[in-house]
């Protein structure tokens, strides 16, 4: 496969030309059940009629005007996001990494404006992922992704995830904020415990730090709440989200309280495309569905059913699967054999998933799936695990 694209991805030799709900159709005519959802992006599945309508209607009216003018659809989307969350203000960009960058700037500006310019360091967690810009890479601190791109952007410290002692020990006079994913996605679907998430809030209050959550992957309804931190009953000061927020249209958002974002005045930040009328129309259409009565409760119920099925599969195939972890519709199946091999076998059998760190297969289906899709996915996983155990593991035994 040669191509003029920079070969930065290990692509499967597979292309799709149509999607419908939780299904994708490949150019060679096969049907796949899509439990990868474009890496947790197609939150409402493919070709959702309400999103298609919004795209077509807005597409005929107006795409882009720049942020030199008011964008009423953006004002409405920001207001709705704030109404449904802890936030008072929103900045729209086009991706997760940009939302993270905005959040980092908010954290530094807050302390600079409140007389503590020396507080500029952010404590993050090992195993984190925050995107691929140089600053997002430094914020996550994953040596694998930083290799070759030195010098690293300064100002980031990392401690073990889910570990409060290490975190407290890392705080000093220069600490500005704590940046954590309530559920690590790329890191292998590792959920912060509710006590841990609650304690992060307490520690930030105690030391005057900002609490910054990365909900680019675990947010926007995936756990059965609009944002995953809601389960812990606390609120952050700053939050980055993206992936599911546009249902497949490039959109990211940084949410913050008035207090945290007070310094983000005219001229302090910007994006040419960010929050353009086309993106805002689609963002509003996504929220129409997600905030409709009962939708998020439905995600929670569906998530419980999916998890129960996955737990059953782990019990049935102890040589292939080690454990299930996650919340709602962001689940991980930790494998014993290489997760990449299982993921390819699942794909060949018609089920799309994504791998993650710690030998995990990520299961992040569209939030609109029901019992039928869960049953179909479980049957494919069961078949693949049975065949894998029979073929590959027999020789090893
Ligand atoms: C995907 C992801 C990002 C980066 O988002 P991009 O849109 O690829 O820039 C940041 N944080 C988390 C938790 C993610 O999963």
């Amino acid at each position: 496969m040669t191509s003029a694209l920079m070969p930065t991805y290990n692509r499967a030799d597979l292309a799709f030309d149509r999607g419908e709900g939780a299904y994708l159709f490949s150019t060679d005519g096969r049907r796949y059940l899509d439990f990868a959802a474009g890496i947790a992006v197609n939150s409402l599945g493919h070709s959702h009629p309400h999103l298609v309508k919004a795209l077509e209607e807005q597409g005929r009216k107006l795409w882009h005007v720049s942020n030199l003018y008011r964008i009423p659809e953006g004002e409405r989307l920001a207001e709705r996001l704030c109404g449904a969350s802890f936030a008072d203000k929103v900045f729209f960009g086009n991706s997760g990494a940009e939302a993270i960058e905005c959040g980092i700037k908010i954290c530094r500006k807050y302390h600079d404006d409140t007389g503590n310019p020396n507080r500029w360091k952010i404590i993050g967690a090992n195993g984190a992922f925050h995107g691929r810009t140089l600053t997002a890479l430094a914020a996550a601190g994953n040596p694998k992704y930083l290799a070759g791109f030195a010098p690293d952007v300064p100002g980031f410290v990392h401690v073990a995830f889910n570990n409060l002692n290490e975190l407290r020990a890392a705080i000093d006079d220069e600490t500005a904020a704590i940046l954590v994913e309530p559920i690590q996605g790329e890191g292998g679907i590792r959920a912060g415990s509710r006590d841990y998430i609650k304690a992060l809030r307490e520690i930030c209050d105690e030391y005057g730090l900002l609490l910054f959550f990365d909900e680019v992957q675990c947010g926007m309804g995936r756990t059965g709440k609009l944002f995953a931190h809601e389960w812990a009953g606390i609120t952050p000061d700053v939050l980055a989200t993206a992936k599911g927020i546009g249902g497949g249209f490039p959109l990211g958002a940084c949410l913050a309280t008035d207090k945290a974002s007070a310094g983000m005045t005219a001229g302090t930040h910007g994006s040419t495309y960010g929050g353009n009328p086309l993106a805002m129309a689609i963002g509003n259409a996504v929220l129409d569905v997600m905030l409709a009565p009962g939708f998020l409760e439905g995600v929670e119920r569906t998530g419980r059913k999916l998890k129960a099925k996955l737990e059953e599969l782990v019990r049935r195939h102890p040589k292939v699967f080690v454990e299930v972890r996650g919340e709602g519709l962001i689940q991980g199946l930790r494998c014993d054999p290489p997760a990449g091999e299982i993921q390819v076998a699942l794909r060949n059998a018609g089920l799309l998933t994504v791998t993650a760190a710690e030998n995990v297969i990520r299961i992040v289906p569209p939030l609109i799936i029901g019992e039928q899709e869960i049953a179909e996915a479980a049957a494919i996983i069961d078949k693949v695990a049975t065949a894998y155990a029979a073929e590959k593991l027999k020789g090893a035994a």
Side-chain angles (χ1 to χ4, degrees):
M1 262 194 303
T2 60
S3 146
L5 293 170
M6 282 191 202
T8 58
Y9 285 99
N10 259 325
R11 295 172 194 272
D13 188 10
L14 182 61
F16 303 100
D17 56 10
R18 196 165 67 80
E20 199 183 309
Y23 294 91
L24 273 174
F25 299 86
S26 61
T27 47
D28 60 4
R30 280 196 68 187
R31 188 180 87 139
Y32 291 83
L33 180 54
D34 185 10
F35 273 32
I39 318 186
V41 165
N42 300 101
S43 47
L44 303 182
H46 301 279
S47 308
H48 190 289
H50 189 64
L51 301 197
V52 172
K53 183 165 164 278
L55 180 78
E56 286 178 350
E57 283 180 6
Q58 190 62 40
R60 273 190 290 272
K61 279 197 295 195
L62 186 65
W63 294 15
H64 178 85
V65 293
S66 88
N67 289 298
L68 300 175
Y69 311 100
R70 286 183 63 179
I71 298 172
E73 278 285 279
E75 292 172 15
R76 190 163 89 88
L77 181 56
E79 209 159 280
R80 294 174 79 191
L81 285 168
C82 290
S85 75
F86 73 97
D88 303 308
K89 293 284 190 292
V90 180
F91 181 90
F92 291 113
N94 316 286
S95 67
E98 284 169 277
I100 290 289
E101 294 270 342
C102 178
I104 293 168
K105 286 178 74 173
I106 289 173
C107 292
R108 290 194 182 173
K109 189 71 162 59
Y110 168 81
H111 289 292
D112 193 74
D113 282 357
T114 52
N116 296 297
N118 57 310
R119 288 192 173 196
W120 62 292
K121 290 187 178 162
I122 295 180
I123 304 177
N126 295 334
F129 182 79
H130 301 303
R132 297 290 201 144
T133 62
L134 285 168
T135 308
L137 288 176
N142 184 336
K144 194 174 98 190
Y145 293 149
L146 282 162
F149 301 109
D152 300 351
V153 175
F156 300 95
V157 177
H158 302 95
V159 297
F161 185 56
N162 258 330
N163 184 321
L164 294 165
N165 291 335
E166 273 198 29
L167 178 73
R168 279 182 180 277
I171 296 170
D172 65 21
D173 293 347
E174 293 182 329
T175 309
I178 295 172
L179 167 58
V180 160
E181 294 157 82
I183 303 174
Q184 291 191 339
E186 307 288 317
I189 316 295
R190 299 160 78 203
S193 73
R194 288 193 190 167
D195 285 346
Y196 172 71
I197 301 292
K198 271 196 200 123
L200 293 180
R201 178 71 271 169
E202 286 163 14
I203 291 171
C204 283
D205 291 343
E206 183 182 338
Y207 292 93
L209 314 177
L210 294 180
L211 181 56
F212 178 8
F213 283 142
D214 180 347
E215 295 222 21
V216 170
Q217 187 160 166
C218 63
M220 296 313 294
R222 200 149 272 289
T223 63
K225 300 267 189 209
L226 189 60
F227 294 114
H229 69 263
E230 294 172 35
W231 291 106
I234 54 97
T235 59
D237 303 291
V238 184
L239 179 146
T241 193
K243 293 199 165 88
I245 194 175
F249 194 90
L251 175 59
C254 185
L255 283 62
T257 61
D258 272 332
K259 184 179 163 213
S261 65
M264 301 305 283
T265 51
T268 56
H269 196 46
S271 163
T272 300
Y273 289 130
N276 85 8
L278 193 53
M280 296 298 93
I282 293 165
N284 273 306
V286 169
L287 275 196
D288 291 342
V289 177
M290 269 189 202
L291 297 182
F295 182 85
L296 292 173
E297 291 82 351
V299 171
E300 192 198 340
R301 271 197 307 279
T302 308
R304 273 203 301 268
K305 284 177 192 152
L306 173 66
K307 185 157 199 154
K309 272 279 178 216
L310 295 173
E311 278 166 348
E312 193 184 309
L313 286 162
V314 172
R315 283 195 296 274
R316 273 172 63 80
H317 302 285
K319 293 216 165 72
V320 182
F321 301 123
V322 180
E323 64 167 335
V324 187
R325 54 202 205 184
E327 307 268 347
L329 290 177
I330 175 166
Q331 296 288 339
L333 258 179
R334 196 150 71 84
C335 301
D336 191 340
E341 283 184 21
I342 305 290
Q343 185 235 356
V344 169
L346 290 172
R347 189 174 72 221
N348 291 337
L351 177 68
L352 303 177
T353 59
V354 203
T355 54
E358 299 198 339
N359 211 36
V360 162
I361 288 177
R362 238 184 302 181
I363 296 174
V364 283
L367 308 184
I368 47 121
I369 60 160
E371 307 222 11
Q372 187 245 319
E373 285 91 350
I374 292 177
E376 192 179 333
I380 294 172
I381 297 170
D382 191 37
K383 193 178 78 182
V384 164
T386 303
Y388 196 93
E391 274 173 47
K392 288 263 182 162
L393 301 176
K394 200 159 44 178

